[in-house]
């Protein structure tokens, strides 16, 4: 399962996402969707969800889909 560690020496979010296998990337995307849904439903939680995860994941999925069609 893919994980993003913002304070690690592994590089940026984009670099980490590019290194994930397709299935790991889809798992990570699903987890971010579940987290966002939980945060939306729980009004007692005072945490801002960062949509940057979703944007970067979707961008990588689109890139991979386009590239697979070219081969």
């Amino acid at each position: 399962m893919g994980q993003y560690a913002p304070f690690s020496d592994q590089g940026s979010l984009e670099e980490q996402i590019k290194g994930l296998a397709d299935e790991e990337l889809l798992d990570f995307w699903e987890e971010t969707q579940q987290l966002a849904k939980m945060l939306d439903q729980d009004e007692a939680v005072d945490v801002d969800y960062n949509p940057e995860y979703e944007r970067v994941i979707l961008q990588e999925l689109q890139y991979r889909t386009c590239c697979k069609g070219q081969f």
Side-chain angles (χ1 to χ4, degrees):
M1 185 175 314
Q3 297 181 359
Y4 172 63
F7 301 109
S8 72
D9 294 332
Q10 295 178 356
S12 69
L13 172 62
E14 290 86 357
E15 291 170 352
Q16 289 187 44
I17 286 177
K18 287 178 184 179
L20 295 175
D22 289 348
E23 191 169 317
E24 291 175 322
L25 182 58
L26 290 171
D27 286 344
F28 187 48
W29 178 76
E30 183 178 358
E31 289 174 6
T32 62
Q33 295 298 301
Q34 291 172 359
L35 176 62
K37 187 175 182 178
M38 274 183 10
L39 291 174
D40 284 343
Q41 292 175 350
D42 191 357
E43 295 174 3
V45 175
D46 189 25
V47 176
D48 291 331
Y49 173 71
N50 185 352
E52 183 71 9
Y53 285 99
E54 184 174 10
R55 183 192 65 78
V56 173
I57 293 167
L58 291 175
Q59 185 177 17
E60 181 65 19
L61 287 170
Q62 289 171 341
Y63 174 77
R64 291 181 187 193
T65 301
C66 291
C67 288
K68 286 181 181 180
Q70 294 179 6
F71 298 107

